[in-house]
Amino acid sequence: SWGLGTGVPIETMVALANLVDAHPWFTIPHGTDDAYARRVARVAKERLAPSLGVYVEHSNEVWNPQFRQYGYASEEGKRQALGVHQYHALRTRQLGETFKEVLGRERVVTVLGAQAVNTWAANRGLQFLDERFGARDAGVDAIAIAPYFGAAPGRADAGRFAGMSVDELAAYVRGEVFPKVVDWT
């Protein structure tokens, strides 16, 4: 499995994207350097169908203090006199620029990872980029939010949920859960 350890090789991701004619989404790990990002971009340039573009994101859930990438971004931010969200936005911009230099601007969408229920984190990063580079050159083309959804009943509701049929659970999700996610989104 590539689900653990080093992850899926870039060559495999590109081959799959070509096979299904889809624009791949590359999440560049938080601890990697510019040379790594440039190598990934070069493989994409050499092997990805010319009709396909790429989405480039810095790490995963950098806004989430549960994960070590948040700690990494926090420490890197401190070294540069930035907050964690400012560093994350800056690193996102840097990675996007690297891919745009290699693949061409028209083939790359730079994506800032954010959270649906906490718009402050994304706004903090975007405001920093606007102030530093100007709104026209902030370097972020899209924002990807994490609108998680689910049902997490407490003890008082556990019996109700345990007794639900699949149809009743689906109705609950459609009527109670999805509307909240739509509001966050």
mmCIF file of all heavy atoms in Angstrom, residues 26-30 32-34 36-38 41 56-59 88-101 108 110 139:
data_model
loop_
_atom_site.group_PDB
_atom_site.id
_atom_site.type_symbol
_atom_site.label_atom_id
_atom_site.label_comp_id
_atom_site.label_asym_id
_atom_site.label_seq_id
_atom_site.Cartn_x
_atom_site.Cartn_y
_atom_site.Cartn_z
ATOM 1 N N PHE A 26 -1.973 17.938 -6.277
ATOM 2 C CA PHE A 26 -0.756 17.564 -5.556
ATOM 3 C C PHE A 26 -0.706 18.300 -4.225
ATOM 4 O O PHE A 26 -0.733 19.530 -4.187
ATOM 5 C CB PHE A 26 0.502 17.897 -6.368
ATOM 6 C CG PHE A 26 0.586 17.178 -7.684
ATOM 7 C CD1 PHE A 26 0.757 17.881 -8.854
ATOM 8 C CD2 PHE A 26 0.485 15.799 -7.750
ATOM 9 C CE1 PHE A 26 0.831 17.233 -10.080
ATOM 10 C CE2 PHE A 26 0.560 15.132 -8.962
ATOM 11 C CZ PHE A 26 0.737 15.848 -10.132
ATOM 12 N N THR A 27 -0.630 17.548 -3.166
ATOM 13 C CA THR A 27 -0.463 18.107 -1.831
ATOM 14 C C THR A 27 1.004 17.922 -1.473
ATOM 15 O O THR A 27 1.452 16.802 -1.240
ATOM 16 C CB THR A 27 -1.385 17.401 -0.821
ATOM 17 O OG1 THR A 27 -2.735 17.527 -1.282
ATOM 18 C CG2 THR A 27 -1.259 18.012 0.555
ATOM 19 N N ILE A 28 1.743 19.005 -1.450
ATOM 20 C CA ILE A 28 3.186 18.952 -1.201
ATOM 21 C C ILE A 28 3.414 18.923 0.310
ATOM 22 O O ILE A 28 2.968 19.830 1.025
ATOM 23 C CB ILE A 28 3.897 20.170 -1.849
ATOM 24 C CG1 ILE A 28 3.547 20.274 -3.339
ATOM 25 C CG2 ILE A 28 5.401 20.095 -1.615
ATOM 26 C CD1 ILE A 28 3.940 19.070 -4.175
ATOM 27 N N PRO A 29 4.090 17.895 0.816
ATOM 28 C CA PRO A 29 4.282 17.746 2.271
ATOM 29 C C PRO A 29 4.962 18.951 2.918
ATOM 30 O O PRO A 29 5.809 19.611 2.312
ATOM 31 C CB PRO A 29 5.156 16.495 2.381
ATOM 32 C CG PRO A 29 4.899 15.738 1.125
ATOM 33 C CD PRO A 29 4.682 16.787 0.069
ATOM 34 N N HIS A 30 4.598 19.193 4.157
ATOM 35 C CA HIS A 30 5.037 20.393 4.868
ATOM 36 C C HIS A 30 6.544 20.476 5.082
ATOM 37 O O HIS A 30 7.079 21.561 5.137
ATOM 38 C CB HIS A 30 4.316 20.509 6.214
ATOM 39 C CG HIS A 30 4.626 19.410 7.162
ATOM 40 N ND1 HIS A 30 3.985 18.192 7.114
ATOM 41 C CD2 HIS A 30 5.495 19.332 8.183
ATOM 42 C CE1 HIS A 30 4.447 17.411 8.064
ATOM 43 N NE2 HIS A 30 5.369 18.082 8.725
ATOM 44 N N THR A 32 9.017 19.470 3.119
ATOM 45 C CA THR A 32 9.842 19.383 1.918
ATOM 46 C C THR A 32 10.356 20.759 1.505
ATOM 47 O O THR A 32 9.804 21.782 1.881
ATOM 48 C CB THR A 32 9.047 18.754 0.752
ATOM 49 O OG1 THR A 32 7.872 19.524 0.519
ATOM 50 C CG2 THR A 32 8.660 17.317 1.074
ATOM 51 N N ASP A 33 11.410 20.738 0.718
ATOM 52 C CA ASP A 33 12.023 22.000 0.290
ATOM 53 C C ASP A 33 11.617 22.352 -1.142
ATOM 54 O O ASP A 33 10.880 21.613 -1.802
ATOM 55 C CB ASP A 33 13.545 21.940 0.447
ATOM 56 C CG ASP A 33 14.190 20.836 -0.386
ATOM 57 O OD1 ASP A 33 13.521 20.236 -1.259
ATOM 58 O OD2 ASP A 33 15.380 20.577 -0.169
ATOM 59 N N ASP A 34 12.123 23.470 -1.611
ATOM 60 C CA ASP A 34 11.795 23.937 -2.961
ATOM 61 C C ASP A 34 12.290 22.968 -4.032
ATOM 62 O O ASP A 34 11.643 22.811 -5.066
ATOM 63 C CB ASP A 34 12.387 25.323 -3.204
ATOM 64 C CG ASP A 34 11.711 26.393 -2.373
ATOM 65 O OD1 ASP A 34 10.583 26.168 -1.886
ATOM 66 O OD2 ASP A 34 12.319 27.463 -2.195
ATOM 67 N N TYR A 36 12.377 19.736 -3.879
ATOM 68 C CA TYR A 36 11.395 18.650 -3.978
ATOM 69 C C TYR A 36 10.206 19.102 -4.830
ATOM 70 O O TYR A 36 9.766 18.386 -5.739
ATOM 71 C CB TYR A 36 10.921 18.227 -2.587
ATOM 72 C CG TYR A 36 9.807 17.209 -2.614
ATOM 73 C CD1 TYR A 36 10.084 15.850 -2.715
ATOM 74 C CD2 TYR A 36 8.473 17.612 -2.558
ATOM 75 C CE1 TYR A 36 9.060 14.914 -2.765
ATOM 76 C CE2 TYR A 36 7.445 16.689 -2.603
ATOM 77 C CZ TYR A 36 7.745 15.342 -2.702
ATOM 78 O OH TYR A 36 6.731 14.426 -2.751
ATOM 79 N N ALA A 37 9.688 20.279 -4.536
ATOM 80 C CA ALA A 37 8.544 20.797 -5.287
ATOM 81 C C ALA A 37 8.903 20.941 -6.768
ATOM 82 O O ALA A 37 8.102 20.608 -7.644
ATOM 83 C CB ALA A 37 8.095 22.140 -4.716
ATOM 84 N N ARG A 38 10.092 21.404 -7.051
ATOM 85 C CA ARG A 38 10.529 21.570 -8.439
ATOM 86 C C ARG A 38 10.613 20.215 -9.142
ATOM 87 O O ARG A 38 10.224 20.083 -10.305
ATOM 88 C CB ARG A 38 11.876 22.297 -8.491
ATOM 89 C CG ARG A 38 12.255 22.753 -9.881
ATOM 90 C CD ARG A 38 13.405 23.740 -9.869
ATOM 91 N NE ARG A 38 13.109 24.967 -9.144
ATOM 92 C CZ ARG A 38 12.344 25.958 -9.581
ATOM 93 N NH1 ARG A 38 11.773 25.865 -10.753
ATOM 94 N NH2 ARG A 38 12.140 27.030 -8.860
ATOM 95 N N ALA A 41 7.106 19.103 -9.968
ATOM 96 C CA ALA A 41 6.618 19.896 -11.095
ATOM 97 C C ALA A 41 7.253 19.436 -12.407
ATOM 98 O O ALA A 41 6.573 19.380 -13.443
ATOM 99 C CB ALA A 41 6.894 21.379 -10.845
ATOM 100 N N VAL A 56 -2.187 22.654 -6.822
ATOM 101 C CA VAL A 56 -1.066 22.513 -5.894
ATOM 102 C C VAL A 56 -1.457 23.094 -4.547
ATOM 103 O O VAL A 56 -1.872 24.260 -4.458
ATOM 104 C CB VAL A 56 0.200 23.237 -6.415
ATOM 105 C CG1 VAL A 56 1.346 23.070 -5.444
ATOM 106 C CG2 VAL A 56 0.581 22.712 -7.780
ATOM 107 N N GLU A 57 -1.320 22.284 -3.523
ATOM 108 C CA GLU A 57 -1.669 22.686 -2.159
ATOM 109 C C GLU A 57 -0.484 22.410 -1.236
ATOM 110 O O GLU A 57 0.222 21.422 -1.404
ATOM 111 C CB GLU A 57 -2.885 21.877 -1.700
ATOM 112 C CG GLU A 57 -3.328 22.189 -0.287
ATOM 113 C CD GLU A 57 -4.520 21.346 0.165
ATOM 114 O OE1 GLU A 57 -4.863 20.355 -0.495
ATOM 115 O OE2 GLU A 57 -5.098 21.701 1.204
ATOM 116 N N HIS A 58 -0.295 23.271 -0.267
ATOM 117 C CA HIS A 58 0.740 23.075 0.751
ATOM 118 C C HIS A 58 0.202 22.195 1.860
ATOM 119 O O HIS A 58 -0.713 22.581 2.579
ATOM 120 C CB HIS A 58 1.184 24.426 1.325
ATOM 121 C CG HIS A 58 2.067 24.309 2.526
ATOM 122 N ND1 HIS A 58 1.775 24.943 3.712
ATOM 123 C CD2 HIS A 58 3.213 23.636 2.727
ATOM 124 C CE1 HIS A 58 2.714 24.670 4.593
ATOM 125 N NE2 HIS A 58 3.597 23.875 4.014
ATOM 126 N N SER A 59 0.736 21.015 1.991
ATOM 127 C CA SER A 59 0.443 20.077 3.062
ATOM 128 C C SER A 59 -1.047 19.807 3.204
ATOM 129 O O SER A 59 -1.822 19.964 2.264
ATOM 130 C CB SER A 59 1.066 20.565 4.373
ATOM 131 O OG SER A 59 1.172 19.498 5.297
ATOM 132 N N HIS A 88 1.717 29.562 6.398
ATOM 133 C CA HIS A 88 1.024 28.609 5.526
ATOM 134 C C HIS A 88 0.645 29.268 4.196
ATOM 135 O O HIS A 88 0.844 28.690 3.122
ATOM 136 C CB HIS A 88 -0.206 28.054 6.242
ATOM 137 C CG HIS A 88 -1.092 27.205 5.416
ATOM 138 N ND1 HIS A 88 -0.654 26.136 4.656
ATOM 139 C CD2 HIS A 88 -2.441 27.261 5.209
ATOM 140 C CE1 HIS A 88 -1.675 25.573 4.038
ATOM 141 N NE2 HIS A 88 -2.765 26.249 4.360
ATOM 142 N N ALA A 89 0.116 30.462 4.244
ATOM 143 C CA ALA A 89 -0.257 31.174 3.025
ATOM 144 C C ALA A 89 0.984 31.501 2.180
ATOM 145 O O ALA A 89 0.970 31.332 0.954
ATOM 146 C CB ALA A 89 -1.013 32.455 3.371
ATOM 147 N N LEU A 90 2.054 31.943 2.830
ATOM 148 C CA LEU A 90 3.279 32.261 2.106
ATOM 149 C C LEU A 90 3.870 31.020 1.452
ATOM 150 O O LEU A 90 4.260 31.046 0.281
ATOM 151 C CB LEU A 90 4.302 32.901 3.048
ATOM 152 C CG LEU A 90 5.630 33.302 2.419
ATOM 153 C CD1 LEU A 90 5.428 34.333 1.310
ATOM 154 C CD2 LEU A 90 6.576 33.833 3.491
ATOM 155 N N ARG A 91 3.909 29.916 2.177
ATOM 156 C CA ARG A 91 4.457 28.674 1.622
ATOM 157 C C ARG A 91 3.580 28.170 0.480
ATOM 158 O O ARG A 91 4.084 27.675 -0.530
ATOM 159 C CB ARG A 91 4.603 27.605 2.709
ATOM 160 C CG ARG A 91 5.295 26.352 2.231
ATOM 161 C CD ARG A 91 6.739 26.638 1.845
ATOM 162 N NE ARG A 91 7.374 25.440 1.345
ATOM 163 C CZ ARG A 91 8.214 25.418 0.319
ATOM 164 N NH1 ARG A 91 8.583 26.544 -0.273
ATOM 165 N NH2 ARG A 91 8.735 24.284 -0.086
ATOM 166 N N THR A 92 2.276 28.318 0.618
ATOM 167 C CA THR A 92 1.360 27.951 -0.460
ATOM 168 C C THR A 92 1.699 28.750 -1.718
ATOM 169 O O THR A 92 1.812 28.192 -2.812
ATOM 170 C CB THR A 92 -0.099 28.226 -0.035
ATOM 171 O OG1 THR A 92 -0.432 27.379 1.068
ATOM 172 C CG2 THR A 92 -1.068 27.990 -1.179
ATOM 173 N N ARG A 93 1.873 30.051 -1.541
ATOM 174 C CA ARG A 93 2.213 30.919 -2.674
ATOM 175 C C ARG A 93 3.535 30.497 -3.305
ATOM 176 O O ARG A 93 3.660 30.431 -4.530
ATOM 177 C CB ARG A 93 2.292 32.367 -2.207
ATOM 178 C CG ARG A 93 2.584 33.363 -3.318
ATOM 179 C CD ARG A 93 2.767 34.771 -2.743
ATOM 180 N NE ARG A 93 2.754 35.777 -3.776
ATOM 181 C CZ ARG A 93 3.810 36.100 -4.525
ATOM 182 N NH1 ARG A 93 4.971 35.488 -4.344
ATOM 183 N NH2 ARG A 93 3.704 37.042 -5.446
ATOM 184 N N GLN A 94 4.540 30.215 -2.469
ATOM 185 C CA GLN A 94 5.853 29.814 -2.982
ATOM 186 C C GLN A 94 5.768 28.537 -3.807
ATOM 187 O O GLN A 94 6.371 28.438 -4.878
ATOM 188 C CB GLN A 94 6.831 29.627 -1.820
ATOM 189 C CG GLN A 94 7.212 30.904 -1.122
ATOM 190 C CD GLN A 94 7.914 30.661 0.207
ATOM 191 O OE1 GLN A 94 7.841 29.575 0.796
ATOM 192 N NE2 GLN A 94 8.580 31.696 0.701
ATOM 193 N N LEU A 95 5.028 27.559 -3.299
ATOM 194 C CA LEU A 95 4.888 26.298 -4.032
ATOM 195 C C LEU A 95 4.166 26.525 -5.358
ATOM 196 O O LEU A 95 4.567 25.970 -6.392
ATOM 197 C CB LEU A 95 4.148 25.271 -3.181
ATOM 198 C CG LEU A 95 4.920 24.768 -1.963
ATOM 199 C CD1 LEU A 95 4.006 23.969 -1.033
ATOM 200 C CD2 LEU A 95 6.125 23.938 -2.388
ATOM 201 N N GLY A 96 3.117 27.322 -5.330
ATOM 202 C CA GLY A 96 2.405 27.628 -6.566
ATOM 203 C C GLY A 96 3.306 28.298 -7.587
ATOM 204 O O GLY A 96 3.279 27.963 -8.775
ATOM 205 N N GLU A 97 4.130 29.238 -7.133
ATOM 206 C CA GLU A 97 5.045 29.929 -8.041
ATOM 207 C C GLU A 97 6.060 28.954 -8.639
ATOM 208 O O GLU A 97 6.398 29.058 -9.816
ATOM 209 C CB GLU A 97 5.753 31.076 -7.322
ATOM 210 C CG GLU A 97 4.842 32.265 -7.060
ATOM 211 C CD GLU A 97 4.237 32.849 -8.326
ATOM 212 O OE1 GLU A 97 4.975 33.087 -9.302
ATOM 213 O OE2 GLU A 97 3.006 33.054 -8.338
ATOM 214 N N THR A 98 6.547 28.016 -7.837
ATOM 215 C CA THR A 98 7.489 27.017 -8.350
ATOM 216 C C THR A 98 6.844 26.213 -9.467
ATOM 217 O O THR A 98 7.436 26.022 -10.538
ATOM 218 C CB THR A 98 7.957 26.085 -7.215
ATOM 219 O OG1 THR A 98 8.672 26.861 -6.253
ATOM 220 C CG2 THR A 98 8.842 24.971 -7.735
ATOM 221 N N PHE A 99 5.620 25.744 -9.242
ATOM 222 C CA PHE A 99 4.926 24.974 -10.272
ATOM 223 C C PHE A 99 4.630 25.819 -11.501
ATOM 224 O O PHE A 99 4.746 25.344 -12.637
ATOM 225 C CB PHE A 99 3.637 24.370 -9.702
ATOM 226 C CG PHE A 99 3.841 23.034 -9.048
ATOM 227 C CD1 PHE A 99 4.404 22.942 -7.792
ATOM 228 C CD2 PHE A 99 3.472 21.861 -9.689
ATOM 229 C CE1 PHE A 99 4.611 21.719 -7.182
ATOM 230 C CE2 PHE A 99 3.666 20.630 -9.096
ATOM 231 C CZ PHE A 99 4.233 20.554 -7.837
ATOM 232 N N LYS A 100 4.281 27.071 -11.305
ATOM 233 C CA LYS A 100 3.979 27.949 -12.435
ATOM 234 C C LYS A 100 5.225 28.232 -13.270
ATOM 235 O O LYS A 100 5.144 28.340 -14.503
ATOM 236 C CB LYS A 100 3.323 29.245 -11.946
ATOM 237 C CG LYS A 100 1.895 29.023 -11.467
ATOM 238 C CD LYS A 100 1.288 30.253 -10.813
ATOM 239 C CE LYS A 100 -0.126 29.934 -10.345
ATOM 240 N NZ LYS A 100 -0.772 31.032 -9.649
ATOM 241 N N GLU A 101 6.381 28.332 -12.615
ATOM 242 C CA GLU A 101 7.636 28.528 -13.348
ATOM 243 C C GLU A 101 7.944 27.327 -14.232
ATOM 244 O O GLU A 101 8.440 27.478 -15.346
ATOM 245 C CB GLU A 101 8.792 28.741 -12.369
ATOM 246 C CG GLU A 101 8.793 30.082 -11.686
ATOM 247 C CD GLU A 101 9.814 30.153 -10.549
ATOM 248 O OE1 GLU A 101 10.689 29.255 -10.457
ATOM 249 O OE2 GLU A 101 9.723 31.090 -9.750
ATOM 250 N N VAL A 108 -1.542 25.837 -13.793
ATOM 251 C CA VAL A 108 -1.437 25.636 -12.344
ATOM 252 C C VAL A 108 -2.491 26.450 -11.604
ATOM 253 O O VAL A 108 -2.665 27.639 -11.868
ATOM 254 C CB VAL A 108 -0.029 26.028 -11.837
ATOM 255 C CG1 VAL A 108 0.082 25.840 -10.328
ATOM 256 C CG2 VAL A 108 1.044 25.212 -12.558
ATOM 257 N N THR A 110 -3.051 27.403 -7.738
ATOM 258 C CA THR A 110 -2.476 27.393 -6.388
ATOM 259 C C THR A 110 -3.618 27.432 -5.383
ATOM 260 O O THR A 110 -4.437 28.344 -5.410
ATOM 261 C CB THR A 110 -1.550 28.600 -6.188
ATOM 262 O OG1 THR A 110 -0.547 28.586 -7.201
ATOM 263 C CG2 THR A 110 -0.888 28.560 -4.820
ATOM 264 N N GLY A 139 -1.105 35.486 -5.216
ATOM 265 C CA GLY A 139 -0.565 34.184 -5.584
ATOM 266 C C GLY A 139 -1.426 32.987 -5.231
ATOM 267 O O GLY A 139 -1.013 31.854 -5.453
#
